[in-house]
Structures are given as structure tokens and as C-alpha cells.
Amino acid sequence: MPRPPVPSLLRLMWRREKDLLSLLPDLAYREMITPLGYTRRGILLVNDPVWVNRILTDHDTFPKNDLFVEALEDLVGNSMFVTSGDTWRRQRKMVDPAFSHMRINRAFEFMAAAVDDYEQQLASDAANDTVFSLDAAMSHLTADVITRTIFSVPLGGETSHEVFEDFMRFERQVGSIDIKRMLWDKPWSPHQQPEPVRQACARIRMHLGTMLDERLKHPEFDDIAGAILEARDADTGQPFDREGLIDQLGVFFLAGHETTASSLTWAFFILSQRPDMVARIRAEVAEVVGEGELLLEHTKRLPFVRNFFREVLRLYPPITFLPRVAGKDTEIAGRRVKRGTMLMIAPWSMHRHVKLWDNPDRFDPDRFLPEHESKQVPGSYLPFGAGPRICVGAAFATIETALIIARLVRRFDFEALDASTVRPYARLTTRPATEIAMRVRRRA
């Protein structure tokens, strides 16, 4: 239940939570721009789509928030995921060719192969009446997809599986922002992540290095790793050094599976509660695909599946917050904003805002039908961010999720256990506060 700003801050401190959703007051869903309580550095929540676009576009004035950068730098180093300004622009130019390897025609075969293997696992779970963690299952599936896309190998190897396990530990232990420091510390105060987080990051980087070494033995592979190996700085002609390679591969691995896993977890939980949505998906898949193999061309002809997932992303955006910081004294909507002020852009609150959406708390995929597009406020929907740093994997994720939802819903019924206890929690991504126990049955 949303509260006024000051009680929200006190509640966080009292309960020692890291869930930033608890920070959002009731005003977050009614006001376009509002301060979040009273803190040493100042926090301004920005829901106004016009100002959100300006902030996300001008990353020289509004770079990524220092606490957010600090939370991730042990994992992804000085990569484009956390850098700003000229450093970000230089790195982005270097890795742009790698993005072409996320082109759908090439990546779809990796996706389909991963789903083939996971369907076999679900068939076994159904036969044995196995109860499993939906969160872990979706993380494993999407990690398998991205491992194949980056390195041309499945997740099954010991090293890649250890990378996955450490990513799971990292995601559970790290907060995208340290709430205590957000309230009390000066901007840009130096700080280190807790030792367990740093150890998990060190192991991940070690394992990524091992996977990179193995990949170097196969120059014939056509994948993301190969494109990053060939990347050159436009000014110096120099490639990434070894640590730089691991930085960028860590970004692809993190962004390529964690956000999609979050979204799919919510998608299948919702489907376990909404048989009407399941029926519509099955009817559409049957009409477009029949009983045959689901091909890339089919995923582009499943409008309800895509709109269903767009609505999942609206109510449960994978990146709950897009934190920025004022790099200098400035003004936002006539408000004086001091250097160091934290700017909280929250897809979570924007997507549920009473001034931006009709019936914002209602789950309604049909709001994305073409005839309803005129009702949508421009810039109010940003599950993949906005501006020059918009997620370049959006098309990849859209096809991947359409494939996974269509194939799994076509053949299995999902049943969530203890569904009444499920609640969202903002970690690195929007996850359930506790893992969702799930059971599947083969469709009758």
C-alpha cells in the first residue's frame, strides 16, 4: 500500500528492506514530478513523459546514478552499461557490430534449440508431478538462450552453469541502489559492495574468461563473442583488452537473460491465474501455426501474444527504476535541482499512473490494439528505456518471449502454488519477493 514520502522512508529503515517499491509514496501514482521525502542528497521522482525523455536523452547532464553504477561495476567493470558521455559513445561504436549478431534470423535458431530442451524438462516435470521454482526455471531458460547466442554453446557445460548459479546469487544479494546510502551519504561517496557480492562478481568474471578462452578455439563460430573480439576503437584502432572483453560480455549476459527472465516469470504467473488469457493464446497459436513447428515468421503473426506480453511489461517492467543523477545544477519543470540530486525515473510508477493510463491497475492486453493507440500518452510506456540508451535487445526479447509463451502455453497448463502470497519486489529487476512454486501438467 503506497504511503506518504516520509513514512515510506522510515518504513524502509525500520524493516531494513532493499525493496525500492516500498519507497514509492501514493503521490508517485498521481503526480508528474514529486520529491521522495527528505534526504541528504535529494531525490526527485519524475513521471512526466516529456521530462523523462529529456533526462534519458541528455546523459551528459544526467548520467547514470552513481549508486546504480557502484552496484554493478564489480560485475561489468567500466562497460557501456554503466559509463556515460564520451566513454559510453566510444564503447557503443565499438560494440555496435555485435548487436547485429542479435539479429533475429541468426538468433532464432538458438532460441528454438533452448526451448526444445526446456520442453523436454517440462514434460518430465509434468510426468513426475514435480514442483519447481518458476523464477529459477525462467532464469535458466533465458540464460541458456543468451549463452548460445554469445558463445554458440548451450548452458549445459560446467563453466557456463556455474556462471548462471553465480548470477542468481548476485541478483539476490545486490540491490540496484543502497537505500541507507541513498538517504544519508553525500553524492559520489566511495563505497564497496558487500563481500559476498564482490566474490560472486569475481567468480562470474573468472568463468566468463574461461568461456572466452574456449571460444577462442573456434574462430569459425558466428556469434556475439566473435563480434566483440573483432571490435576496434575508431580513433586508435585498438581492440578491447581482456578485462574490457569480459566487461562487455558480462553486460550481454546480464542484460540478455536477467530482464527477460523477470518478465517471463510474471507472464507465466499471470497465465496460471487467468485461464481466459490462456484460451486466447492457444486459439491464436492454433489459428496461425496449427500443430506444426513454430517458426520465426509465426511469431510476427501472433498479435495477442505480443500484446499480452506488452501488458506484462507495463505492470511488471523488468527494470523497475532508471536512476539518473544531476551532474550539475539545473532546472526540471521550473524546479531548481542541485548537482548530485538523484532523479528516479520509474517505469513502475509511470506504467501505473492515473494520469497516463485508463484503469492503470487492470491487466488488459487489448489496450495495445491499434484502435486504442490514440489513448496512450506518448512516452508513457518505456519497459526498454528511452533515448540513446534504449535497450538494443528489445526486438530480440520480443521474439524470444513470443516464442517461449506460444510454445509452452500450447502444450502445458501452469499451476502456481500459494498464489495469494506472491508480491513484487524491486531487486536488480522486478522479481517476486519469494520464489513462485509452480507445477505443470500436459495439456489435455
Side-chain angles (χ1 to χ4, degrees):
M1 178 68 66
R3 296 169 170 80
V6 173
S8 296
L9 293 175
L10 293 175
R11 179 173 180 266
L12 284 173
M13 296 170 61
W14 178 258
R15 296 179 60 177
R16 297 182 180 180
E17 289 192 358
K18 292 185 177 181
D19 178 20
L20 292 179
L21 292 180
S22 301
L23 175 64
L24 293 177
D26 54 358
L27 290 174
Y29 306 91
R30 295 188 285 109
E31 297 294 335
M32 287 301 186
I33 298 178
T34 186
L36 295 182
Y38 302 94
T39 68
R40 185 168 188 177
R41 63 187 292 152
I43 310 172
L44 195 64
L45 179 70
V46 183
N47 287 319
D48 185 324
V50 173
W51 274 101
V52 165
N53 183 67
R54 291 180 187 178
I55 292 168
L56 293 180
T57 299
D58 184 1
H59 56 91
D60 290 314
T61 304
F62 305 108
K64 285 204 170 183
N65 184 274
D66 50 300
L67 298 182
F68 176 83
V69 170
E70 185 182 90
L72 296 176
E73 62 186 356
D74 286 326
L75 176 62
V76 298
N78 193 40
S79 69
M80 64 177 181
F81 200 63
V82 296
T83 55
S84 297
D86 291 338
T87 301
W88 175 83
R89 282 185 279 268
R90 179 183 62 81
Q91 292 181 346
R92 177 60 186 266
K93 287 181 180 179
M94 290 182 70
V95 301
D96 266 347
F99 294 146
S100 69
H101 284 270
M102 298 181 79
R103 63 187 182 273
I104 302 306
N105 288 337
R106 173 64 177 148
F108 190 80
E109 63 185 79
F110 293 126
M111 298 177 189
V115 178
D116 287 344
D117 289 349
Y118 186 61
E119 277 197 352
Q120 293 182 29
Q121 177 62 53
L122 275 186
S124 174
D125 290 340
N128 295 305
D129 201 30
T130 301
V131 175
F132 61 91
S133 164
L134 177 63
D135 316 45
M138 293 300 102
S139 290
H140 192 280
L141 173 55
T142 56
D144 190 16
V145 170
I146 201 62
T147 300
R148 294 172 191 250
T149 308
I150 294 174
F151 295 109
S152 297
V153 296
L155 184 62
E158 180 179 351
T159 299
S160 55
H161 185 72
E162 289 176 355
V163 170
F164 164 74
E165 291 293 332
D166 276 319
F167 260 107
M168 291 285 286
R169 295 187 188 97
F170 170 79
E171 191 275 333
R172 291 177 182 136
Q173 293 171 348
V174 73
S176 59
I177 293 177
D178 185 311
I179 291 174
K180 182 179 178 182
R181 296 189 60 234
M182 179 177 70
L183 299 180
W184 301 114
D185 287 5
K186 293 180 179 180
W188 297 287
S189 299
H191 184 72
Q192 288 186 333
Q193 286 292 307
E195 187 60 26
V197 173
R198 297 179 67 200
Q199 290 177 357
C201 292
R203 288 192 300 269
I204 291 169
R205 292 180 65 86
M206 178 189 70
H207 291 317
L208 286 174
T210 300
M211 295 169 72
L212 177 62
D213 292 339
E214 186 63 30
R215 169 60 181 78
L216 290 172
K217 300 176 184 178
H218 299 279
E220 73 278 9
F221 286 171
D222 179 20
D223 51 27
I224 288 176
I228 295 178
L229 284 166
E230 295 173 2
R232 296 293 184 271
D233 186 294
D235 295 327
T236 67
Q238 294 299 306
F240 287 114
D241 60 19
R242 181 178 175 78
E243 288 303 300
L245 287 168
I246 294 174
D247 289 348
Q248 305 303 335
L249 291 173
V251 169
F252 277 100
F253 201 100
L254 175 65
H257 100 274
E258 179 58 32
T259 54
T260 310
S262 165
S263 303
L264 284 170
T265 297
W266 291 113
F268 282 101
F269 171 70
I270 291 168
L271 288 169
S272 75
Q273 306 301 298
R274 294 292 300 269
D276 57 325
M277 299 291 163
V278 172
R280 290 182 67 178
I281 289 173
R282 285 176 174 167
E284 183 173 78
V285 173
E287 179 181 355
V288 173
V289 185
E291 292 300 317
E293 180 182 0
L294 202 155
L295 304 176
L296 173 59
E297 64 188 64
H298 295 137
T299 65
K300 300 175 182 179
R301 293 161 47 203
L302 299 172
F304 181 75
V305 171
R306 294 164 77 94
N307 287 343
F308 169 82
F309 193 67
R310 291 178 75 184
E311 183 70 340
V312 172
L313 292 175
R314 186 183 70 83
L315 283 177
Y316 298 94
I319 303 300
T320 328
F321 298 91
L322 300 169
R324 297 294 189 264
V325 62
K328 61 183 179 182
D329 292 348
T330 186
E331 285 192 4
I332 293 178
R335 294 173 178 263
R336 293 180 60 189
V337 176
K338 293 183 179 180
R339 180 179 182 272
T341 299
M342 181 182 295
L343 305 172
M344 295 295 281
I345 295 171
W348 178 274
S349 61
M350 289 187 70
H351 291 179
R352 295 167 179 260
H353 203 283
V354 296
K355 294 180 181 178
L356 298 176
W357 300 90
D358 291 335
N359 298 314
D361 295 325
R362 179 186 177 191
F363 187 87
D364 180 17
D366 291 335
R367 70 173 74 242
F368 291 104
L369 288 172
E371 57 265 34
H372 297 155
E373 285 183 353
S374 62
K375 298 179 182 179
Q376 190 175 131
V377 178
S380 62
Y381 183 70
L382 60 161
F384 297 107
R389 303 188 75 139
I390 192 169
C391 176
V392 296
F396 182 98
T398 299
I399 295 296
E400 178 186 9
T401 52
L403 172 69
I404 291 170
I405 291 171
R407 284 187 54 173
L408 299 188
V409 169
R410 178 165 68 168
R411 293 178 179 165
F412 297 96
D413 290 312
F414 287 76
E415 176 192 0
L417 310 182
D418 299 322
S420 62
T421 66
V422 175
R423 68 179 179 90
Y425 189 105
R427 292 190 176 97
L428 188 61
T429 54
T430 307
R431 289 285 196 166
T434 56
E435 294 186 44
I436 299 175
M438 186 70 73
R439 180 186 288 121
V440 294
R441 293 184 175 86
R442 275 192 173 275
R443 181 184 174 189

